[in-house]
């Protein structure tokens, strides 16, 4: 594969596969919710460093509300506790910009 983890998933809480499976075999960079909740600023720094390493000319950001903790997005189709706050996602988008 040659994508070099150009797809970055932020706020993952559960998966049928391990993080290493996604990152090594499918080249999907994952930042799990537990990493974000432990240290939000570090998670943002890690995401920014990864994006900069890709030397992208353009970036597309899509936010799946399911990534946000159910205490902030209870009406989502698959509410799940323990996700990042809306503030985290706002800070991330600001930092990327």
């Amino acid at each position: 594969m040659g994508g070099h983890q150009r797809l970055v998933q932020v706020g993952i809480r559960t998966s049928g596969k391990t993080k290493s499976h996604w990152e090594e075999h499918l080249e999907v960079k994952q930042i799990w919710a537990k990493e974000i909740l432990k240290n939000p600023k570090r998670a943002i720094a890690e995401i920014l460093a990864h994006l900069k390493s890709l030397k992208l000319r353009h970036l597309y950001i899509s936010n799946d509300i399911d990534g946000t903790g159910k205490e902030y997005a209870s009406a989502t189709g698959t509410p799940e506790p323990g996700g990042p706050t809306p503030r985290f996602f706002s800070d991330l988008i600001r930092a990327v910009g």
Side-chain angles (χ1 to χ4, degrees):
M1 299 193 141
H4 306 291
Q5 296 182 327
R6 293 171 58 98
L7 173 61
V8 180
Q9 295 179 326
V10 177
I12 302 296
R13 291 190 293 293
T14 61
S15 174
K17 303 284 184 183
T18 64
K19 180 178 179 176
S20 63
H21 170 82
W22 289 99
E23 292 190 341
E24 295 168 17
H25 299 290
L26 300 174
E27 294 189 355
V28 174
K29 177 72 173 165
Q30 289 190 328
I31 310 297
W32 281 60
K34 62 185 173 187
E35 299 170 79
I36 295 166
L37 296 175
K38 185 176 181 179
N39 191 334
K41 289 182 181 183
R42 182 176 177 195
I44 288 174
E46 180 182 346
I47 294 164
L48 291 178
H50 179 73
L51 293 174
K52 286 179 183 179
S53 76
L54 296 173
K55 298 180 180 171
L56 303 171
R57 292 184 56 201
H58 302 282
L59 177 67
Y60 174 79
I61 297 174
S62 174
N63 182 33
D64 185 338
I65 194 66
D66 291 355
T68 307
K70 79 173 188 176
E71 54 275 23
Y72 305 104
S74 60
T76 184
T78 54
E80 199 171 328
T85 66
R87 174 67 185 256
F88 170 81
F89 288 111
S90 293
D91 290 348
L92 174 60
I93 291 167
R94 235 188 272 36
V96 169

